[in-house]
Amino acid sequence: MRWRGLLAAGIAAVIAGPKSFAAIGQWAGDAGPDVLAALGAERGPAEESTYRRAFALVSADVLDRVLGAWLWTRAVQAGERLIIAIDGKTVRGAKNKNGKAPHLVAALAHGIGAVLGQVAVHEKPNEIPAVRDLLKAFAGLAGAVIAIDALHTQSDTAQVILGRGAGYVMTVKGNTPTLYRKLKKLPWPAIPSVSAVSTGHGRRARRTVKVALAPAWTEFDGAAQVAQLRRTVTKKGKKTVEVVYLITSERDADPATLAAWVRSHREIENRLHWVRDVTYLEDKSPVRTGNAPRVMATLRSLAISLLRLNGHGNIAAANRHHLRDPQRTLKLLQAA
């Protein structure tokens, strides 16, 4: 089986839910010759060991670039303004002999649910330059808004985003203490607020947002507004309150819009990382050889993206739907 056939069969299998090379091989064996031929696997199903060797040797960087570029075109075709959340995740189940595991930084299109790009870093602190590299790799960012967490609230990152024609909304927490203290001292009690309530995963969250013009001392290129975001979360009768601050280059963004953009960062946790962990059991995966852990993570993200773009809200249910009939997966890929 040629590499493209192996990759296509691997993608198709992961869409149907298999979580290991053994399960991928079993899916290919059950798919039938017509489905495999349409996927480019004219020689029939491959063994588990074939997938294991091939995925361990493939260039994960090239695979991420190619798939990211293709998914970018799909997201652009959706016709919405792109709000892109960026965050990292460690593939904990893939620790090597030295106890290190791949750490992947992904960009997710808010609302659409498609992964637009992914890069690997050796350790979490290296996320900062990795995010800048990821932003530079996108085909075009004009008009997009990048939502990133406090780790990446850096003036250099703001410059990269603005240089690509995009806007930003950055979270300010205690890891930038001077800026945090200055923002905290602004006259927030005198500023009108907007609140919204959301529920899910057994919790109730109230978000209250206040917005003001950005003071000159923020010293972030393009900074137009600052905001205070208060989150009050109640879960199992216990209430927690968190106050963070925001900096955005978007002059016309109202409080409700800013709150929605910040929630997009939580979306990457709930709609990507959580699904890979809970539905695909990524952190329990036995795949550890060579580039295979990262390749499998890429295929999981791709499968989630394709299913989201196809209108599926529940990925576990979508896996089961496609597992029952390989022709369904083939039609999804042919229409993608």
Side-chain angles (χ1 to χ4, degrees):
M1 188 186 292
R2 295 180 180 178
W3 161 241
R4 69 177 185 182
L6 279 172
L7 179 60
I11 293 170
V14 175
I15 288 171
K19 303 169 181 64
S20 66
F21 290 128
I24 290 174
Q26 290 166 1
W27 180 92
D30 293 338
D34 292 343
V35 170
L36 292 178
L39 292 170
E42 298 89 352
R43 298 180 183 177
E47 298 292 331
E48 168 195 358
S49 58
T50 303
Y51 286 103
R52 187 180 300 277
R53 288 195 301 271
F55 285 14
L57 295 173
V58 70
S59 171
D61 289 332
V62 172
L63 183 63
D64 280 334
R65 284 199 300 270
V66 171
L67 293 178
W70 179 77
L71 283 166
W72 178 270
T73 64
R74 291 299 310 276
V76 170
Q77 290 170 8
E80 303 174 9
R81 185 180 189 185
L82 283 176
I83 311 301
I84 302 171
I86 298 179
D87 197 16
K89 178 186 183 299
T90 301
V91 186
R92 294 180 177 85
K95 289 182 180 179
N96 60 23
K97 295 179 180 179
N98 297 321
K100 293 186 176 181
H103 188 78
L104 307 176
V105 180
L108 186 81
H110 176 59
I112 301 169
V115 179
L116 306 182
Q118 179 175 277
V119 294
V121 297
H122 293 298
E123 295 177 346
K124 185 176 175 60
N126 293 332
E127 272 194 31
I128 294 172
V131 164
R132 296 169 192 166
D133 291 340
L134 181 58
L135 291 167
K136 292 174 182 177
F138 287 134
L141 283 174
V145 175
I146 311 300
I148 50 181
D149 65 12
L151 176 66
H152 302 286
T153 301
Q154 309 276 337
S155 58
D156 289 349
T157 301
Q159 290 172 10
V160 171
I161 293 171
L162 294 172
R164 300 302 315 279
Y168 61 79
V169 56
M170 296 180 168
T171 302
V172 180
K173 293 184 179 180
N175 61 319
T176 49
T178 301
L179 182 58
Y180 182 87
R181 285 195 299 269
K182 286 184 176 181
L183 289 174
K184 187 177 181 179
K185 289 180 181 179
L186 290 175
W188 297 111
I191 298 173
S193 65
V194 173
S195 294
V197 176
S198 63
T199 58
H201 299 292
R203 68 181 203 167
R204 181 179 185 272
R206 175 180 290 276
R207 295 173 178 84
T208 301
V209 186
K210 299 181 176 184
V211 178
L213 292 176
W217 45 253
T218 54
E219 296 182 349
F220 272 70
D221 283 9
Q225 297 189 104
V226 294
Q228 181 195 70
L229 172 60
R230 178 183 297 271
R231 299 188 188 98
T232 304
V233 177
T234 305
K235 186 173 183 179
K236 295 181 179 180
K238 183 179 179 181
K239 182 182 291 186
T240 59
V241 178
E242 180 188 27
V243 178
V244 300
Y245 298 93
L246 311 174
I247 299 177
T248 180
S249 60
E250 298 297 294
R251 186 172 301 277
D252 298 325
D254 58 32
T257 299
L258 282 176
W261 289 349
V262 173
R263 282 201 305 276
S264 73
H265 196 270
R266 184 171 294 277
E267 181 174 320
I268 198 171
E269 293 284 346
N270 294 338
R271 302 191 76 197
L272 179 64
H273 298 166
W274 188 87
V275 174
R276 278 170 37 185
D277 280 344
V278 176
T279 301
Y280 282 106
L281 304 179
E282 182 169 270
D283 281 353
K284 297 180 180 179
S285 173
V287 177
R288 293 182 176 86
T289 306
N291 291 331
R294 183 175 162 192
V295 171
M296 286 298 293
T298 295
L299 296 194
R300 294 178 195 117
S301 293
L302 175 63
I304 293 166
S305 300
L306 290 171
L307 291 169
R308 298 275 189 217
L309 289 167
N310 197 243
H312 293 278
N314 186 314
I315 300 301
N319 290 158
R320 294 190 295 270
H321 172 80
H322 289 86
L323 182 61
R324 290 193 294 270
D325 184 357
Q327 287 289 343
R328 294 172 179 172
T329 304
L330 181 60
K331 290 178 181 178
L332 182 148
L333 289 172
Q334 290 173 334

